[in-house]
Amino acid sequence: MPGGADASTLHYSDGGSNRLSLEKTFGRSAKDSQCQHMLKHLHNGARITVQMPPNIEGHWVSTRCEVRPGPEFLTRSYRFYPNNTFQAHQFYYEDNHCTTPTYTLVVRGRLRLRQASWIIRGGTEADYQLHRTQVVCHTATVAKELSQRLNHSCRGAVKGRGPWEPNISYELWSEEGGCDCSRELNFAMHELQLLRVERQYLHHNLDHLVEELFLGDIHTEPTQRMYYRPSSYQAALQNAKNHDHGCIACRIIYRSDEFHPPILPPRADLTVGLYGQWVSQRCEVRPEVLFLTRHFIFHDNNHTWEGHYYHYSDPICKHPTFTIYARGRYSRGLHSTRVMGGTEFVFKVNHMRVKPMDLGTTSLLNVFNGNECGAEGSWQVGVEQDVTLTNGCVALGIRLPHTEYELFRMEQDAHGRYLLYNGQRPSDGSSPDRQEKRATSYQMPLVQCSASSQRSDHGDDVDRPLRLSNDCSGRHRGGRKDVVVVAAALTLAVAPLLLCWHS
């Protein structure tokens, strides 16, 4: 394993040790619903094994077409070798389904694992050194455009006669010296500064091991990418030897190289048809040391939404700190002209309740003077309060009413489940409260757990196929922003707990 000793393993299995706290978190009345069942499975550990320090040796690939801030559409194929060196392929595309490759970056270097992160629990910090960065263009048009662009800003980048040609490797930077022309492409590998490896057996099948590698997140403001140290994670890469057998993209990317870039199967954009209930698929990590799971309910008949945000102090979401319930309204969706495949919404939050789940959060809420977060000095562990009349909760960084400009998209995974993506939270801790701050990339997706927007107390919440609007009438049956509305506040709030939403 590069830069580390023998890996120790922390195993989190299903158990009843937190049954009381889980019942307090979710409530007993909804215990039979499919959505609550899925969340409780996550909070019971979901049989996830975390390697500390992580063993990253091997070949890791993207599971789908990824969207980075900008937007940029890409797939990744990273190899880590026993001698601590690595080779990374980043394949870039002109479309959001990764069917039309434009160019590929090939990056070689060395990685050294350091220590468990003091900032992001469950993560490992690392240092990297680049040895060489090369680019291969895949069309004559892209080759000409890129060579002209680099020759203008990075003198000497284009050597020889005329512009670049497709399917030829050109050097952007090497240890031997010269200009670092990769900066013109806003390229950085800072994602290697934060790592986490998770292992789990799908459907409790010991013959179906899946290993996932989480690398550091990319700053949402492209101009800050070169200077940003990760504080959260990107979408996971899967180990090519131990991946989800239903992952078609994994197999295509595994067989690809810089001269044969992966071309993923073409897919139609799903019109956002949002109603029913959606939940997190894993314990989610946000910048500023936030761990949470989410549960959203959309009522398409009146364009209202409800959001449940369960916050935790640990990266496997076993130790609850507080929960937030929020509701509000959302606008009709409009196709994004900036992010291919995205749909834009405006979400409003006008009602909120908070429930502290541990002594630390309860004490914090009781410290604040005045009625800026419920009734002063009245907070108790496990007791929910309405903070609408106090215009939110200053202690948790939440101001009401609040408006956010959001971006959503939907897709189906390899198992036919509907996934809902909402906009990535701004890396600077602010919220997208203006149109120009609307996201250009996405968070971890939610999965549809019920097609009904009615929470059932009797276990009769039967899933039905999701209806999608494929006409051109502009009817988008829901808004996924609810996920973001409170997530925005919470993403800013939990670790510092003193940040305010900007309104």
Side-chain angles (χ1 to χ4, degrees):
M1 182 185 68
D6 292 339
S8 61
T9 299
L10 302 176
H11 182 68
Y12 304 103
S13 61
D14 295 333
S17 60
N18 288 327
R19 184 172 300 165
L20 179 60
S21 64
L22 289 172
E23 287 179 350
K24 283 184 177 180
T25 302
F26 300 117
R28 296 176 182 268
S29 63
K31 65 181 180 181
D32 295 325
S33 76
Q34 174 68 10
C35 300
Q36 295 300 329
H37 172 77
M38 293 172 70
L39 283 175
K40 284 186 178 182
H41 178 66
L42 289 181
H43 303 152
N44 279 324
R47 294 194 179 276
I48 291 175
T49 301
V50 181
Q51 292 183 321
M52 295 292 286
N55 179 5
I56 63 172
E57 182 181 327
H59 188 182
W60 305 82
V61 295
S62 299
T63 61
R64 57 173 57 92
C65 187
E66 300 175 358
V67 185
R68 282 186 173 180
E72 294 175 343
F73 307 111
L74 78 158
T75 59
R76 295 176 290 159
S77 176
Y78 291 2
R79 289 180 172 88
F80 298 93
Y81 300 105
N83 63 356
N84 297 349
T85 62
F86 69 87
Q87 178 176 272
H89 285 75
Q90 293 183 352
F91 305 99
Y92 290 84
Y93 303 81
E94 70 176 30
D95 68 301
N96 62 311
H97 296 295
C98 293
T99 64
T100 310
T102 53
Y103 65 89
T104 296
L105 294 179
V106 183
V107 187
R108 296 176 177 85
R110 181 177 297 272
L111 182 71
R112 181 174 66 90
L113 301 187
R114 296 177 60 195
Q115 71 276 333
S117 174
W118 289 93
I119 300 175
I120 308 299
R121 291 187 59 187
T124 297
E125 296 179 356
D127 290 327
Y128 73 92
Q129 179 182 2
L130 298 185
H131 295 164
R132 175 167 295 178
T133 305
Q134 296 169 299
V135 62
V136 176
C137 300
H138 301 304
T139 69
T141 300
V142 172
K144 179 180 179 180
E145 177 184 304
L146 203 55
S147 60
Q148 290 176 345
R149 174 178 162 191
L150 291 175
N151 200 39
H152 176 74
S153 59
C154 187
R155 296 294 181 183
V158 181
K159 300 176 182 178
R161 302 174 183 175
W164 285 350
E165 297 181 5
N167 301 317
I168 295 179
S169 179
Y170 295 95
E171 192 167 280
L172 295 178
W173 182 84
S174 70
E175 286 185 308
E176 285 70 32
C179 177
D180 182 4
C181 296
S182 64
R183 287 180 172 268
E184 175 61 27
L185 300 177
N186 204 24
F187 165 78
M189 286 296 290
H190 298 338
E191 60 192 282
L192 296 178
Q193 294 176 327
L194 181 66
L195 309 93
R196 175 179 171 89
V197 171
E198 292 185 0
R199 297 164 52 117
Q200 63 176 310
Y201 293 94
L202 289 189
H203 314 299
H204 306 297
N205 182 354
L206 297 181
D207 295 325
H208 197 175
L209 172 66
V210 173
E211 291 184 296
E212 294 184 304
L213 171 62
F214 294 85
L215 297 177
D217 63 326
I218 307 299
H219 200 288
T220 52
E221 177 53 55
T223 59
Q224 298 299 312
R225 184 179 299 181
M226 303 291 298
Y227 317 104
Y228 177 65
R229 189 172 188 93
S231 61
S232 183
Y233 300 105
Q234 296 180 69
L237 302 175
Q238 288 192 6
N239 191 309
K241 289 186 177 180
N242 298 310
H243 68 273
D244 185 341
H245 297 164
C247 180
I248 297 175
C250 297
R251 297 195 292 270
I252 296 174
I253 298 169
Y254 170 76
R255 298 192 298 263
S256 302
D257 60 34
E258 61 268 37
F259 300 109
H260 306 88
I263 299 176
L264 302 189
R267 309 175 66 175
D269 288 328
L270 293 183
T271 300
V272 176
L274 215 140
Y275 67 98
Q277 302 187 46
W278 306 76
V279 294
S280 299
Q281 299 183 85
R282 62 173 72 247
C283 183
E284 299 175 359
V285 184
R286 297 286 184 277
E288 307 298 342
V289 203
L290 291 179
F291 305 105
L292 77 157
T293 58
R294 301 172 289 162
H295 176 194
F296 298 101
I297 306 170
F298 297 92
H299 306 279
D300 63 325
N301 60 324
N302 59 7
H303 278 218
T304 61
W305 62 270
E306 303 172 64
H308 300 264
Y309 303 83
Y310 305 103
H311 284 79
Y312 299 83
S313 61
D314 63 297
I316 58 169
C317 291
K318 289 180 72 72
H319 303 289
T321 53
F322 66 93
T323 70
I324 288 184
Y325 167 81
R327 70 170 183 254
R329 305 186 64 84
Y330 59 88
S331 69
R332 294 173 59 182
L334 298 174
H335 290 295
S336 173
T337 57
R338 185 177 181 187
V339 182
M340 188 183 301
T343 302
E344 297 178 349
F345 290 88
V346 178
F347 272 75
K348 296 181 182 296
V349 190
N350 51 37
H351 181 93
M352 189 170 293
R353 300 196 298 263
V354 176
K355 182 195 297 185
M357 299 298 295
D358 66 354
L359 288 174
T361 304
T362 305
S363 298
L364 174 72
L365 294 174
N366 281 325
V367 161
F368 279 79
N369 297 321
N371 294 323
E372 294 186 303
C373 185
E376 179 181 348
S378 65
W379 292 95
Q380 301 177 51
V381 175
V383 179
E384 186 177 66
Q385 280 200 45
D386 194 316
V387 297
T388 305
L389 294 180
T390 56
N391 297 320
C393 180
V394 172
L396 298 180
I398 301 167
R399 296 286 193 183
L400 295 181
H402 185 71
T403 299
E404 289 197 354
Y405 295 84
E406 254 301 339
L407 180 75
F408 284 85
R409 73 180 173 98
M410 286 179 58
E411 68 177 37
Q412 279 184 286
D413 67 9
H415 306 286
R417 301 175 303 175
Y418 287 96
L419 304 180
L420 180 66
Y421 295 79
N422 68 284
Q424 184 178 346
R425 303 303 308 173
S427 301
D428 64 3
S430 64
S431 64
D433 53 7
R434 301 190 304 274
Q435 290 199 40
E436 59 268 25
K437 296 182 68 175
R438 195 188 301 268
T440 58
S441 56
Y442 301 96
Q443 298 182 34
M444 298 283 186
L446 303 169
V447 63
Q448 189 183 43
C449 57
S450 173
S452 170
S453 61
Q454 300 300 317
R455 294 184 63 172
S456 170
D457 295 344
H458 307 288
D460 56 357
D461 212 5
V462 181
D463 285 1
R464 296 185 296 275
L466 179 71
R467 291 174 288 136
L468 293 176
S469 172
N470 293 318
D471 59 23
C472 300
S473 63
R475 293 177 66 243
H476 301 268
R477 299 181 59 85
R480 339 170 238 195
K481 163 56 190 334
D482 72 323
V483 175
V484 182
V485 173
V486 182
L490 300 182
T491 298
L492 313 177
V494 179
L497 283 177
L498 296 173
L499 297 176
C500 293
W501 256 349
H502 302 286
S503 58

